Amino acid sequence: KKKFGYKGFKSREELEKAYIRLYKTEIIPEIYKNSLSATVYTQLTDIEDEINGIFTFDRVLKIPKERLIEINKEVYLAFDKKVNG
């Protein structure tokens, strides 16, 4: 069975680095530069042959929850700074 994904990573560490890099280099700067007001992760879990989730098909988190909490705090802080100065 062929698997589908927008990008493939050889390890969970590579996925984690790419996820953090995406937020730090693209999403957070867009909050400040262009008033980005929301982000949506559209596929939280892998399903059948699609492997784009941050959870596996059987709901195992691919990125350590502490890292997800950390980057989400940075996003919330950026939103708060943009809105409240």
Side-chain angles (χ1 to χ4, degrees):
K1 190 175 194 180
K2 188 174 180 182
K3 296 189 184 257
F4 171 79
Y6 295 105
K7 282 191 174 187
F9 299 97
K10 294 180 182 180
S11 69
R12 289 183 180 196
E13 290 79 16
E14 274 188 30
L15 171 64
E16 177 184 341
K17 286 178 184 176
Y19 186 91
I20 300 300
R21 186 174 44 251
L22 171 69
Y23 275 83
K24 288 185 180 264
T25 64
E26 294 186 39
I27 293 173
I28 292 171
E30 283 297 313
I31 294 169
Y32 293 112
K33 286 193 270 184
N34 296 311
S35 298
L36 178 75
S37 61
T39 64
V40 177
Y41 202 95
T42 59
Q43 186 176 335
L44 293 178
T45 63
D46 293 347
I47 54 168
E48 299 296 322
D49 58 345
E50 291 189 39
I51 55 170
N52 294 309
I54 57 173
F55 285 91
T56 63
F57 183 79
D58 54 348
R59 308 309 189 256
V60 174
L61 193 56
K62 296 178 185 178
I63 300 170
K65 73 176 183 179
E66 297 80 17
R67 295 293 283 152
L68 293 173
I69 290 168
E70 180 182 306
I71 195 64
N72 279 306
K73 283 183 179 179
E74 289 184 42
V75 171
Y76 296 143
L77 180 62
F79 282 139
D80 186 59
K81 283 183 181 177
K82 184 66 177 179
V83 172
N84 297 314

